[in-house]
Amino acid sequence: MPRTHEPSTPPLPAEHLRVGDCLVDIPLREIRAPGARRPRRITPKAMGVLLVLVDHADRVVSRDALLAEVWPDTLPTDDVVTQAVTQLRKAFDEDRGNPRYIETIAKNGYRLLAKVRWLVPEQAAAAGEAGPAGEGAGVATAGADGAAAAVAPAIARAERIEPVPLPNQPRPRGTWRSLVATVAVVLALVALLVWWSLARQAHAPGAAPAALDPARVATAARPYRLITSMPGFEVQPTLSPDAALVAYVAIPDGQRGTAILVQTTDQTPPRQLTRPSGLAEDSAPAWSPDGRSIAFLRVDPARACKVLLIAANGGAEREIGDCDPRNPPTFEWTPDGRGLIFGSMQTAQGIVGMRVLDLASGEWRAVPYRPGAGNLDLSPRFSPDGRWIVFLRNNPQGDFWRLPAEGGTAERLSQLSADVRGWDWLPDNRSILFGRMIDGDTRLFRLDLETGQARDLGIESAQFPAVAASRPAAAFVQRKPYFGLFRVVLGDTSKGAVHVVDPLFPSSARDMLPAVAPDGRQIVFFSDRSGSNHLWWADLDQPDSLRMLPGVTPGTRYGASWSADSGRVSVVGPDTDGRNAIFEVIPASGRVTRLPAPVDEPIQAMQLPDPNRMLVLAGAGDGRLRLHLFDRSRSPWKLLAAIDDVVEAKADPAHNRLLFARQTQSGLWQADLGLAAASIRQIDDSEPVADRYRLWDVAVATGELRYMDQQPTCLSLMRRMATPELPPSVLCLDQSRRSAINGFSLSPRGDTVYLALAKWDGADIGYMDLPEEPKTFVPGWLN
């Protein structure tokens, strides 16, 4: 029977190898090419193809052999092999037409050209830090003769291991050396199989935990593994109470929209649980306390939102409630499994606080507490002992608050003012696990509710954790997006014009938040191409003019703002003490000046047509935001006016007005440039929606308004919002690539858009066992 190469199978003879100049992490399915800022993740099947090619280094492996090895007992097309090889070549950063890693043999198959070295853990860590590993003990090499030396000490002295022949290929003649090596390999395989069996027994539900060896723990590479196997996005995990199963959101093969999938927490093929029709998409699964049911949302672009219930093993769906499709709610089960508790929701009566939906009667009841005006209380969850409700107030400047389960007065638990990306209770009843966005990356933290201290778990690109109810285990989303800048000239599609998506300033880094100057010639953006986030400038007519502007490390939540004369840009970033400050940069000279704005922790600074005035968005307490208008010609600056509940603002000089989005509801508002209270009114009640509040812009010369939306049929859909001069219109910029959610920029006349599109994007579900009382240091878990 063919041996399938899947990451769920114990990698042999090690977890890391070097292919040419690239480092390969087999369990994480990541390939780091030289010069790349971050590794690139490949699919399990692509990893399988690579391992087969490694097994037969410098030999031609036929397509039929690859299909038999990597896709056994299935009937795939030849395209799957082509796609896997294409993905490997991209990960190896191979030049088109000049193969250095994988050679295509016409009408036959593929051959691995690069030299291979298997790495033991210590060498893998050193290779990740210092570059290519040297030739030494514990390193296996595979050269042009196809030989491979083993990693394990038991077979380190063998000079050659003959490759296992593929089907329909002649078996090479054996030698005594190859026989010795083969016996050693068999012994190593037996040892690894014994280890694998013991590991699976230890992971089985109800198994007694193995004794913790501090020496072994101290050298562990990571406390988690990836358990999903489909390419693309797997997000929003929820664990069954015993942690045996995970439900999550993904796009099934052959479908456009998302559905709920279920699989075991070992890497096994998923089964599709829900089947939305048309353009509807399913999201936000939540496992019931008894493990029998899953509640979820179904949102249709036709403005329908339903709360549904389905048995965990499949069957008929039951509708249990309605919701606002523009602002899908957050919810969780009540401890008795008889209801769902929802966070703040938009209703016909406006924003309401937390409520409980009774599943038997379909009736709503308000949680007895006072949410307070202007607050959004999201993601409520009952504590494991049922005594408390903890919720997140006013994200994305969020903090955790606590309320007795029977209602009462809420108390603040943290002082984070953070962009929280999901959270859940830990089994100890006194701490929680949450994701947080910091400097463009998401990380997992553990918050002690008694001390208010939050500690980084050391897991990069992790968010939206879900903890099992009756077993110390957690699932989470690991996402590592890479964005590049693109320019799109917006033609008149009604007249047959075709828009072209052109890349700007190609790199292997993350470029985002472009801002075009009012003169239409200059652009600034944020990028980590230097190793950390910095501000970059270029003349659009001279691409070679691109350069970094040192002296400021901007945050990645809001972009830069140009002055009306195109001579200065303002950005917000941390100062030397780590506190947010406003900086003004003159691109022509590179001069950076810290501005003395009299506010604590500003998050956005906006230039106005009057150079003596500036708008500053900053916290107003308890996560709420306030937009301040300052006269900056005086010292200290004089506060002229302010508007509460603003989350994004942009000047519209063409109409002598300010446009802004609110923190608590969808839509767009306007005010005059003096922020007079009498001038404030809503001009659109639907866009932007709450979770896409930064995805709109206004052309400074014409006042044209554009909004970036997303649909299953088009991941980057640009809408022109109606104005007195122009009717609404829709244009799909890119069907398959997502735009970054933190903004784009229109040219002064609105005929060109500059945006960040995903060059490489995807998400996998990670799984890890949680130490109940971690008294010994465990990498990723801090006490």
Side-chain angles (χ1 to χ4, degrees), residues 212-448:
L212 194 63
D213 182 350
R216 293 174 63 92
V217 170
T219 59
R222 64 186 67 87
Y224 67 92
R225 66 178 185 276
L226 299 176
I227 60 174
T228 53
S229 60
M230 295 195 312
F233 282 85
E234 294 98 33
V235 294
Q236 301 178 16
T238 178
L239 283 173
S240 61
D242 61 0
L245 299 171
V246 60
Y248 55 88
V249 174
I251 301 177
D253 289 340
Q255 298 184 25
R256 292 182 179 271
T258 58
I260 310 300
L261 278 65
V262 177
Q263 70 172 67
T264 66
T265 47
D266 289 322
Q267 192 183 56
T268 58
R271 60 181 174 85
Q272 187 172 341
L273 183 66
T274 67
R275 300 184 181 275
S277 60
L279 295 179
E281 294 194 288
D282 294 345
S283 62
W287 218 297
S288 64
D290 62 8
R292 297 180 179 179
S293 303
I294 293 175
F296 64 97
L297 300 179
R298 176 164 294 163
V299 180
D300 191 287
R303 304 306 183 191
C305 179
K306 303 290 183 183
V307 185
L308 301 174
L309 201 64
I310 190 172
N313 59 359
E317 299 165 352
R318 179 163 68 97
E319 182 179 326
I320 56 177
D322 295 320
C323 47
D324 181 359
R326 297 171 301 174
N327 299 279
T330 55
F331 65 92
E332 186 53 271
W333 288 81
T334 58
D336 58 11
R338 297 178 181 178
L340 301 174
I341 182 170
F342 286 77
S344 297
M345 295 176 64
Q346 180 72 41
T347 68
Q349 292 74 39
I351 298 289
V352 298
M354 293 184 291
R355 298 185 300 167
V356 173
L357 174 62
D358 184 87
L359 300 183
S361 65
E363 295 181 354
W364 294 89
R365 66 173 177 84
V367 174
Y369 82 116
R370 293 183 179 180
N375 287 326
L376 283 178
D377 297 337
L378 306 174
S379 304
R381 280 157 175 60
F382 285 90
S383 60
D385 61 9
R387 295 178 54 203
W388 301 97
I389 300 171
V390 167
F391 56 91
L392 181 64
R393 173 164 285 180
N394 296 331
N395 211 40
Q397 289 287 106
D399 273 291
F400 292 99
W401 290 65
R402 182 172 66 178
L403 180 74
E406 64 275 10
T409 301
E411 61 175 327
R412 189 171 182 171
L413 295 175
S414 68
Q415 301 287 334
L416 300 172
S417 296
D419 186 353
V420 176
R421 303 297 180 92
W423 77 275
D424 207 351
W425 281 94
L426 288 172
D428 61 13
N429 213 63
R430 64 176 183 269
S431 53
I432 64 176
L433 191 65
F434 69 95
R436 179 181 181 180
M437 172 68 75
I438 297 180
D439 294 333
D441 188 28
T442 53
R443 303 178 69 86
L444 289 185
F445 291 80
R446 182 174 185 165
L447 174 65
D448 187 315

Side-chain angles (χ1 to χ4, degrees), residues 472-690:
F476 60 92
V477 175
Q478 188 170 70
R479 182 185 178 192
K480 297 182 178 180
Y482 299 86
F483 291 94
L485 292 189
F486 294 83
R487 171 171 49 198
V488 185
V489 178
L490 303 175
D492 187 346
T493 55
S494 64
K495 297 181 180 180
V498 178
H499 68 279
V500 179
V501 181
D502 290 324
L504 285 175
F505 320 120
S507 78
S508 60
R510 290 191 300 181
D511 300 338
M512 65 189 77
L513 287 167
V516 178
D519 62 14
R521 291 185 53 192
Q522 303 176 78
I523 189 172
V524 292
F525 61 94
F526 300 167
S527 176
D528 63 355
R529 58 178 66 201
S530 65
S532 59
N533 282 321
H534 279 92
L535 183 67
W536 291 73
W537 171 91
D539 185 328
L540 288 168
D541 296 330
Q542 301 178 24
D544 292 342
S545 64
L546 179 66
R547 59 187 172 88
M548 188 183 80
L549 299 176
V552 60
T553 304
T556 57
R557 184 171 169 188
Y558 293 99
S561 176
W562 282 93
S563 61
D565 63 2
S566 301
R568 295 165 288 119
V569 292
S570 58
V571 295
V572 172
D575 61 13
T576 55
D577 296 325
R579 297 178 61 85
N580 270 5
I582 301 173
F583 299 89
E584 193 165 65
V585 184
I586 300 177
S589 65
R591 179 181 176 183
V592 178
T593 303
R594 177 173 176 169
L595 301 182
V599 294
D600 292 329
E601 291 294 313
I603 62 173
Q604 185 185 22
M606 290 149 282
Q607 305 270 1
L608 289 172
D610 182 347
N612 291 322
R613 294 190 172 190
M614 176 168 279
L615 290 168
V616 178
L617 188 63
D622 293 347
R624 287 173 289 193
L625 299 176
R626 178 176 296 147
L627 183 66
H628 306 77
L629 174 62
F630 287 106
D631 180 351
R632 56 182 293 192
S633 66
R634 306 187 182 189
S635 182
W637 290 10
K638 181 181 179 181
L639 178 65
L640 301 177
I643 302 177
D644 284 329
D645 190 28
V646 174
V647 72
E648 172 75 294
K650 299 176 186 289
D652 179 10
H655 296 96
N656 197 34
R657 64 179 178 174
L658 180 78
L659 300 172
F660 61 92
R662 290 203 179 273
Q663 189 175 9
T664 56
Q665 53 188 308
S666 298
L668 199 64
W669 280 258
Q670 75 170 27
D672 64 26
L673 293 178
L675 307 192
S679 69
I680 298 174
R681 67 182 181 89
Q682 189 172 24
I683 61 173
D684 191 297
D685 64 355
S686 59
E687 295 171 339
V689 297

